[in-house]
C-alpha cells in the first residue's frame, strides 16, 4: 500500500514571525469578516486558539480590552455553561474555552465559579464518563474538557475523579492508545485527551508508555509530518495532539523533531501569515495555534514555553499553581 504523504518542496519556507502576529491580531476583524461569521458556531474556541497563539509569539501581550471579557460574559448561561457566541446553546467545549481565555487574562476569579462547577458536574454520568451537553453522547474529549476546566478553577475535587479515571481506563486499547468510547479505535486527538486527563489526575501509571509511545512515533511520515491514525495524511494539528502526548510520556525524542519542524514551517502562509493543516492549504487560527504550540515544545525561536497538558502558556499554569504529571 503506497504510504499517503505530502511532498515538501526543497525550499524550506523562512519563519514569518511578524506575519503570524499580524494574522492573529486581524482575525475576526474586517480582513476575515466572512470566515468569522461562518465560524460563529465555534467563536469562543476560536478566540482561545487565536489569543493563546498570539500570547506565545507576542511575548505574552494580548489585547486585554474589556471587550474580550464582555464577550465571555455575553455567552454565559444561567446553568453555568458557556455558548460559542451569544444566542447559541451552552456546551462543555466552549465552557472550557471561556475558562482558558479568562486564565490568560488573569481574570478567572471574576467568573461565576460555583455555577460553572455545578454545570460541569451535572454532565458526569454514573459510569464516570462525561457528555458535552445535555443532549450529547459520551466522548473521552469531554472527560478532558471537564478535568481541564475544573482543575484550572482549583475545583477538581467536585466531581467523582476515581470514576472519571475508570472510564478513561475502559477506553484503553491493546495498541496502548485510546478512543472516544470503550472499544473505539485509537486516534491521535483522543489519545491527547485521555493522556492529558490522566496527567491532570496524576494517574499516568495507568498508561503503557512504551506501547503507546511506539504507536505515537509511528505517526511520523517521510515528510516529517504526523498523522492521527495509520494510512492518514499528515496534518499540522497532529503535530500537537501526537507530539504533546509523547512529551507528557517522556518519549518526545522518539520522533525526528527537526523533520517535524520542517513540516510545520512548510505549512506557513508566507503571504498573509498563519498556518494551515498542510502545505498549500488555507491558514486558520486552529492550525496556527497547534503549529506554534508544537514549535514551542521544541523551544523554537523566541516562542514562549507551553504546557503540554493544558495547551496554555507555562507562565499561566504555574501562576495557577498547577503541576500536571509528566513522565521522565
Ligand atoms: C473547516 O471545517 C471544520 C471542520 C470541523 C470543525 S470543528 O469545530 O469540529 N473542529 C475544530 C476546527 C476548527 C477549524 C477552524 C477554522 C477556522 C477557525 C477559526 O478559529 O477554526 C478548522 C478545523 C477544525 N477541525 C477539523 C480538522 C482539523 N484538522 C483536520 N480536520 C478535519 C477540528 C474540529 C474538531 C475539534 C478539535 C479540537 C477542538 O478543541 C475542538 C474541535 C471546524 C471547521
Ligand atoms: Zn488539522
Amino acid at each position: 500500500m503506497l504510504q499517503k504523504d505530502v511532498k515538501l518542496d526543497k525550499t524550506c519556507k523562512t519563519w514569518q514571525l511578524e506575519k503570524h502576529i499580524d494574522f492573529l491580531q486581524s482575525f475576526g476583524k474586517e480582513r476575515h469578516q466572512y470566515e468569522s461569521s461562518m465560524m460563529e458556531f465555534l467563536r469562543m474556541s476560536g478566540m482561545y486558539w487565536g489569543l493563546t497563539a498570539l500570547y506565545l509569539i507576542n511575548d505574552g501581550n494580548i489585547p486585554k480590552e474589556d471587550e474580550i471579557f464582555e464577550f465571555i460574559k455575553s455567552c454565559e448561561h444561567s446553568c453555568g455553561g458557556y455558548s460559542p457566541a451569544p444566542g447559541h446553546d451552552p456546551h462543555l467545549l466552549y465552557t472550557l474555552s471561556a475558562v482558558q481565555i479568562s486564565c490568560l487574562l488573569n481574570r478567572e476569579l471574576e467568573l461565576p465559579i460555583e455555577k460553572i462547577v455545578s454545570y460541569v458536574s451535572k454532565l458526569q454520568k454514573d459510569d464516570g464518563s462525561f457528555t458535552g451537553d445535555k443532549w450529547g453522547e459520551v466522548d473521552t474529549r469531554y472527560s478532558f474538557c471537564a478535568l481541564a476546566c475544573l482543575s484550572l478553577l482549583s475545583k477538581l475535587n467536585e466531581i467523582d475523579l476515581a470514576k472519571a479515571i475508570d472510564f478513561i481506563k475502559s477506553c484503553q486499547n491493546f495498541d496502548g492508545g485510546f478512543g472516544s468510547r470503550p472499544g473505539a479505535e485509537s486516534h491521535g486527538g483522543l489519545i491527547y485527551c485521555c493522556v492529558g486527563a490522566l496527567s491532570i489526575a496524576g494517574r499516568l501509571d495507568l498508561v503503557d508508555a512504551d506501547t503507546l509511545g511506539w504507536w505515537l512515533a509511528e505517526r511520523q511520515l517521510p515528510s516529517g509530518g504526523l498523522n492521527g491514525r495509520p494510512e492518514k495524511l499528515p496534518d499540522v494539528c497532529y503535530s500537537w495532539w501526537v507530539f504533546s502526548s509523547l512529551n507528557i510520556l517522556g518519549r518526545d525524542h522518539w520522533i525526528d523533531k527537526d523533520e517535524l519542524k520542517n513540516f510545520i514551517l512548510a505549512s506557513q502562509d508566507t503571504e498573509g501569515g498563519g498556518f494551515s493543516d498542510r502545505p498549500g492549504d488555507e491558514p486558520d487560527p486552529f492550525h496556527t495555534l497547534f503549529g506554534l504550540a508544537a514549535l514551542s515544545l521544541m523551544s523554537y525561536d523566541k516562542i514562549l514555553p507551553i504546557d503540554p497538558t493544558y495547551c496554555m502558556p507555562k507562565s499561566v499554569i504555574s501562576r495557577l499553581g498547577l503541576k500536571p504529571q509528566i513522565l521522565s
Side-chain angles (χ1 to χ4, degrees):
M1 155 95 76
L2 178 73
Q3 190 170 49
K4 278 196 273 192
D5 196 359
V6 296
K7 188 113 190 59
L8 295 194
D9 58 42
K10 281 299 143 225
T11 53
C12 173
K13 288 180 187 168
T14 49
W15 170 229
Q16 305 286 336
L17 175 62
E18 290 311 320
K19 287 193 173 177
H20 299 321
I21 292 174
D22 185 30
F23 173 81
L24 292 164
Q25 283 177 330
S26 68
F27 206 83
K29 300 222 171 64
E30 64 305 322
R31 214 170 79 167
H32 297 278
Q33 202 49 48
Y34 173 66
E35 289 100 280
S36 66
S37 59
M38 278 269 285
M39 293 295 167
E40 192 184 273
F41 76 94
L42 54 60
R43 183 136 180 254
M44 184 70 83
S45 290
M47 283 182 54
Y48 154 67
W49 298 322
L51 289 171
T52 305
L54 186 57
Y55 190 108
L56 292 176
I57 57 174
N58 203 30
D59 208 20
N61 300 312
I62 52 175
K64 290 233 188 334
E65 286 111 41
D66 282 348
E67 76 177 70
I68 295 176
F69 207 70
E70 290 313 309
F71 171 76
I72 292 175
K73 282 202 282 215
S74 74
C75 297
E76 181 190 315
H77 288 248
S78 54
C79 62
Y82 287 78
S83 52
H88 290 249
D89 291 336
H91 192 282
L92 185 52
L93 285 169
Y94 309 110
T95 304
L96 172 58
S97 295
V99 170
Q100 289 174 308
I101 298 166
S102 302
C103 292
L104 281 180
L105 296 174
N106 203 344
R107 295 181 69 169
E108 71 280 353
L109 296 180
E110 296 175 44
L111 294 171
I113 292 174
E114 286 316 316
K115 280 172 57 173
I116 295 171
V117 170
S118 143
Y119 175 74
V120 177
S121 313
K122 289 194 179 103
L123 292 173
Q124 186 170 28
K125 296 168 73 77
D126 296 346
D127 64 0
S129 65
F130 285 85
T131 59
D133 60 17
K134 58 180 188 285
W135 322 106
E137 80 270 23
V138 158
D139 188 313
T140 44
R141 283 196 310 163
Y142 304 132
S143 299
F144 174 77
C145 291
L147 270 61
C149 187
L150 294 181
S151 59
L152 287 167
L153 299 173
S154 310
K155 296 283 181 183
L156 194 52
N157 52 359
E158 304 269 341
I159 51 158
D160 188 331
L161 189 55
K163 277 206 169 163
I165 292 162
D166 287 345
F167 178 76
I168 291 168
K169 178 87 185 126
S170 77
C171 298
Q172 192 169 35
N173 296 320
F174 289 111
D175 57 17
F178 296 84
S180 56
R181 276 179 291 284
E185 74 166 325
S186 295
H187 174 290
L190 297 159
I191 287 168
Y192 167 79
C193 290
C194 293
V195 167
L198 293 173
S199 165
I200 291 169
R203 291 304 315 272
L204 288 172
D205 57 291
L206 296 173
V207 178
D208 176 347
D210 280 330
T211 307
L212 177 51
W214 180 263
W215 189 93
L216 290 166
E218 289 274 282
R219 299 297 114 248
Q220 188 160 41
L221 298 167
S223 65
L226 306 178
N227 63 17
R229 278 179 289 169
E231 310 308 325
K232 295 289 181 185
L233 279 171
D235 177 334
V236 161
C237 67
Y238 286 100
S239 310
W240 174 258
W241 311 126
V242 172
F243 188 47
S244 62
S245 299
L246 279 168
N247 201 284
I248 294 167
L249 298 177
R251 287 159 172 75
D252 52 315
H253 53 290
W254 284 18
I255 63 158
D256 185 324
K257 295 181 189 178
D258 209 44
E259 293 287 300
L260 176 59
K261 173 188 62 82
N262 290 338
F263 178 83
I264 298 172
L265 291 177
S267 305
Q268 291 175 102
D269 181 318
T270 49
E271 292 300 306
F275 290 76
S276 54
D277 57 352
R278 55 185 71 92
D281 285 353
E282 275 305 295
D284 62 50
F286 179 88
H287 290 97
T288 300
L289 168 61
F290 294 117
L292 291 170
L295 291 174
S296 170
L297 287 179
M298 301 180 211
S299 313
Y300 182 76
D301 194 35
K302 300 189 299 291
I303 304 175
L304 295 186
I306 194 147
D307 180 86
T309 302
Y310 286 93
C311 196
M312 289 171 68
K314 272 199 185 287
S315 57
V316 174
I317 298 304
S318 55
R319 174 180 69 79
L320 294 167
L322 291 167
K323 294 183 181 56
Q325 186 189 9
I326 293 278
L327 298 182
S328 54

